[in-house]
Amino acid sequence: MHDARLPIYLQLRDQFARKIQAAEWGADASIPSELELASQHGVAPGTVRKAIETLVGEGLLVRQQGKGTFVKRANFGNALFRFFRHTDAQGRTLQPSARILTIKSAAPSAMEIERLRLQAREKVIRIRRIRLVASEPLLHEQISLGEKRFKPLLSADWNEFEDLLYPAYETLCQVRIQSASETITFGVATAEIAKNLKMPARVPVAKIERLAFGIDGGPLEWRSSFGLASRFSYSIELR
């Protein structure tokens, strides 16, 4: 529902943002032209342009000269590998692949209810997977999602998933990740994590916890990624 008290361009901004969130406007194709949108909504092209510019300023859309305006896809799918770099003998960075171990529906824990702001009696979908480089396990990942928004994942073919899960969220569930926050802590591996990393139990690990949000700011995904502390690196340039 839109707020009729808002200026027309902001009402349009909200309508367009909902199209982005619901993946009606995909990231691989340009959105309709300003003239088309103006005709559809019965407003002046300048009003549409102002709404579009607002979304560009918010980082939801991007203009490409001579091509059109596109949904800007959040680009942090491989962000973990600024901490866990893996290179070949020539020093070239290797890109990891992913292997899903399980996707299950379950009753949520108290922490999952809090992190994802789940509704009463809503279940969670838990994904367990490992990230590999040249068949060597690099990360163990535990992912929690609200079942209400992500139920199609339960019946999907895991083999069709890409190494990054966010495209699957968009195509299967019409849910788009817009932003995320990450926290880094250190601890020791549980038996499950140690097994998947092919390491002894209680080996030191780094944990990167990510909470990912939609366009409306609501939490959508809670993810914990575990890697050997001995492989973790962090650098920052101070001026």
Side-chain angles (χ1 to χ4, degrees):
M1 297 292 291
H2 67 269
D3 188 342
R5 296 170 297 180
L6 292 174
I8 298 298
Y9 83 92
L10 287 180
Q11 294 181 38
L12 286 176
R13 179 264 171 217
D14 291 347
Q15 291 183 50
F16 297 163
R18 285 193 289 271
K19 289 180 180 293
I20 296 170
Q21 178 62 50
E24 292 181 36
W25 285 358
D28 299 323
S30 62
I31 69 171
S33 70
E34 292 174 1
L35 288 177
E36 289 178 288
L37 291 170
S39 176
Q40 290 173 13
H41 294 276
V43 298
T47 302
V48 170
R49 186 174 304 113
K50 197 170 182 180
I52 295 296
E53 290 297 343
T54 300
L55 292 169
V56 170
E58 293 173 353
L60 300 183
L61 295 175
V62 60
R63 293 191 184 277
Q64 295 185 16
Q65 189 66 34
K67 294 183 178 180
T69 302
F70 296 77
V71 175
K72 186 175 181 180
R73 190 186 296 276
N75 188 25
F76 44 78
N78 275 327
L80 292 173
F81 301 101
R82 68 189 186 276
F83 302 123
F84 293 94
R85 293 188 179 91
H86 202 95
T87 58
D88 62 14
Q90 287 72 45
R92 294 172 297 194
T93 300
L94 300 175
Q95 291 301 311
S97 60
R99 180 190 302 161
I100 292 177
L101 303 175
T102 60
I103 300 181
K104 296 180 179 179
S105 174
S109 67
M111 190 66 74
E112 287 169 326
I113 293 173
E114 177 186 345
R115 289 285 195 275
L116 298 173
R117 301 179 197 166
L118 298 178
Q119 299 177 3
R121 297 189 178 89
E122 183 178 359
K123 291 186 175 182
V124 293
I125 294 174
R126 292 184 184 143
I127 300 175
R128 296 292 183 267
R129 69 176 190 165
I130 51 175
R131 306 298 296 272
L132 309 102
V133 174
S135 300
E136 179 185 356
L138 186 64
L139 295 175
H140 166 94
E141 291 190 321
Q142 301 175 174
I143 301 166
S144 297
L145 308 157
E147 185 177 287
K148 183 177 180 180
R149 301 286 296 274
F150 293 91
K151 193 169 184 178
L153 296 178
L154 294 172
S155 56
D157 183 352
W158 303 353
N159 296 318
E160 294 182 358
F161 288 6
E162 301 177 27
D163 292 333
L164 302 181
L165 286 174
Y166 296 162
Y169 296 171
E170 291 185 24
T171 57
L172 294 175
C173 309
Q174 288 72 57
V175 174
R176 184 171 180 270
I177 300 295
Q178 175 61 24
S179 62
S181 63
E182 289 184 343
T183 303
I184 303 169
T185 56
F186 294 86
V188 294
T190 63
E192 177 190 7
I193 294 170
K195 176 183 176 182
N196 289 329
L197 294 179
K198 297 183 179 179
M199 290 293 167
R202 301 194 63 77
V203 66
V205 292
K207 173 185 176 183
I208 301 177
E209 183 179 318
R210 174 187 294 175
L211 192 58
F213 306 90
I215 289 173
D216 61 1
L220 294 173
E221 178 202 66
W222 180 36
R223 177 186 305 212
S224 295
S225 302
F226 300 85
L228 292 178
S230 60
R231 291 179 175 172
F232 179 88
S233 65
Y234 175 74
S235 62
I236 185 171
E237 183 176 344
L238 302 175
R239 294 181 182 274

